[in-house]
Structure formats: structure tokens, C-alpha cells
Amino acid sequence: MEKLRNLIIENVAMFREAFPTRSCPSPDLISAISHDHPFTYGQVENEIEKMVHEGVLEAEFSDSYSVKLG
């Protein structure tokens, strides 16, 4: 799962670079990774939840669930 964690961090960092004042929408992040790599939507979603719990990512809850690097 280390590869998946690195992909998540990489994608969140790219999003932050492109949109510095916004958090990355979690459903978009999950869809992008599960579409381009051999991970299911559920695997990506679970790993993001673990990373939020560990403090690697910060979650923002508004209209949708978004994440940013912790």
C-alpha cells in the first residue's frame, strides 16, 4: 500500500500547487487514482481515511469531503 499512499500524496500535492487556496475534493482524487492505477475506489478511499486518521492528510467537510496535506 506504500505505492498507493505515495500516489495520494503526489496527487494532493499537485492539486495544491495548481489551486493553493483550495483542498482537493476527495471523490475526484479517488476517481483519478482508481481510474489510472490498479487500485479500486474502495482501496483508495480507505487509505485516504487511514491517512487522515494518522494526521498525514487533513480533512475538510463542507459541501463535499476534501483533503489536504497535514
Side-chain angles (χ1 to χ4, degrees):
M1 284 299 161
E2 190 65 30
K3 180 179 179 182
L4 177 54
R5 292 174 74 89
N6 289 336
L7 286 169
I8 292 168
I9 290 170
E10 206 174 283
N11 279 270
V12 172
M14 283 190 300
F15 186 91
R16 184 178 59 185
E17 189 175 310
F19 305 100
T21 60
R22 295 178 46 203
S23 293
C24 182
S26 186
D28 295 343
L29 174 65
I30 296 168
S31 293
I33 292 173
S34 63
H35 181 266
D36 293 340
H37 300 280
F39 298 105
T40 66
Y41 191 97
Q43 287 174 310
V44 180
E45 184 177 41
N46 289 338
E47 198 62 36
I48 288 173
E49 288 177 7
K50 286 181 198 172
M51 293 171 77
V52 167
H53 181 72
E54 294 168 356
V56 176
L57 298 174
E58 292 179 20
E60 287 190 2
F61 301 96
S62 55
D63 293 339
S64 67
Y65 179 58
S66 299
V67 292
K68 62 183 179 180
L69 292 174

